[in-house]
């Protein structure tokens, strides 16, 4: 990979990370808000994740298309491809993994809770820093890492590929 190409890739990856953080925060706040507001039990948190994922998808498309990948293809084509790739990321990867780590394999969340308890976070925020909160947060974080990896690859190689190919042709 040429030096210019590596710099461009790093810049794109950095922008993707910024958008990812913003979307993840939005997703997380909506996810936790729904689980708290509606008192959703741990074995049903996937329902909140499905809804919070839909909210995050909208902002993600706008920011990724305009800023990260600078999509220049047809809006409908890129929108449909983005939606397909994101649906896989959110609903086939992230939502099932959130379910697994919140109700089947809770050990990462329990470990996070024990660590929070050990450093005094639980005592400082007893109504917020609960074991279910730690389990949901760990489940969300682990599932997000997997889906973000998929999303970057899919967006770069498939959704917004046309612009990258045009840039190469101009060099």
């Amino acid at each position: 990979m040429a030096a210019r190409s590596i710099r461009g890739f790093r810049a794109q990856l950095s922008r993707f990370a910024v958008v990812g953080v913003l979307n993840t925060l939005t997703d997380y706040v909506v996810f936790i808000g729904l689980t708290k507001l509606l008192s959703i039990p741990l074995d049903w948190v996937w329902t909140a994740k499905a809804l919070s994922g839909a909210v995050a998808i909208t902002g993600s498309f706008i920011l990724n298309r305009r800023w990260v990948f600078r999509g220049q293809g047809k809006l409908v084509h890129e929108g449909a491809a983005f939606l397909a790739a994101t649906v896989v990321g959110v609903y086939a990867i992230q939502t099932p993994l959130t379910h697994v780590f919140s109700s089947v394999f809770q050990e990462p969340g329990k470990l996070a809770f024990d660590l929070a308890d050990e450093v005094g976070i639980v005592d400082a925020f007893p109504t917020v820093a609960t074991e279910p909160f730690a389990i949901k947060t760990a489940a969300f974080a682990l599932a997000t890492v997997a889906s973000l990896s998929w999303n970057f690859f899919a967006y770069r190689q498939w959704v917004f590929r046309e612009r990258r190919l045009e840039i190469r042709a101009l060099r």
Side-chain angles (χ1 to χ4, degrees):
M1 209 183 262
R4 174 183 265 183
S5 182
I6 291 172
R7 280 193 304 272
F9 176 80
R10 286 182 182 160
Q12 192 176 59
L13 190 57
S14 295
R15 290 189 303 268
F16 181 79
V18 169
V19 170
V21 167
L22 291 173
N23 285 325
T24 301
L25 286 174
T26 300
D27 194 356
Y28 180 74
V29 167
V30 173
F31 171 69
I32 292 297
L34 287 171
T35 63
K36 287 289 207 182
L37 183 67
L38 301 175
S39 300
I40 297 173
L42 288 174
D43 58 343
W44 280 90
V45 298
W46 65 270
T47 59
K49 181 64 201 89
L51 293 171
S52 68
V55 171
I57 287 170
T58 304
S60 180
F61 175 69
I62 293 166
L63 292 171
N64 277 296
R65 184 173 195 271
R66 291 183 178 219
W67 186 50
V68 177
F69 299 101
R70 297 187 175 124
Q72 304 242 330
K74 293 184 180 191
L75 181 64
V76 173
H77 176 265
E78 286 182 349
F82 182 89
L83 186 59
T86 303
V87 162
V88 170
V90 172
Y91 298 111
I93 297 171
Q94 194 175 37
T95 301
L97 286 176
T98 300
H99 173 70
V100 167
F101 287 115
S102 65
S103 63
V104 177
F105 184 68
Q106 298 178 340
E107 284 71 13
K110 289 180 179 183
L111 182 61
F113 177 76
D114 291 344
L115 180 62
D117 191 29
E118 196 66 34
V119 298
I121 294 172
V122 173
D123 291 335
F125 304 99
T127 59
V128 175
T130 62
E131 187 174 70
F133 178 82
I135 290 169
K136 289 184 277 189
T137 300
F140 184 93
L142 292 167
T144 297
V145 168
S147 68
L148 285 178
S149 300
W150 159 260
N151 287 348
F152 184 76
F153 173 78
Y155 299 165
R156 182 172 169 81
Q157 299 300 324
W158 179 46
V159 177
F160 302 110
R161 183 178 173 97
E162 292 174 51
R163 171 133 165 74
R164 287 186 334 106
L165 291 175
E166 290 172 6
I167 290 171
R168 284 186 190 155
L170 294 174
R171 289 186 188 161

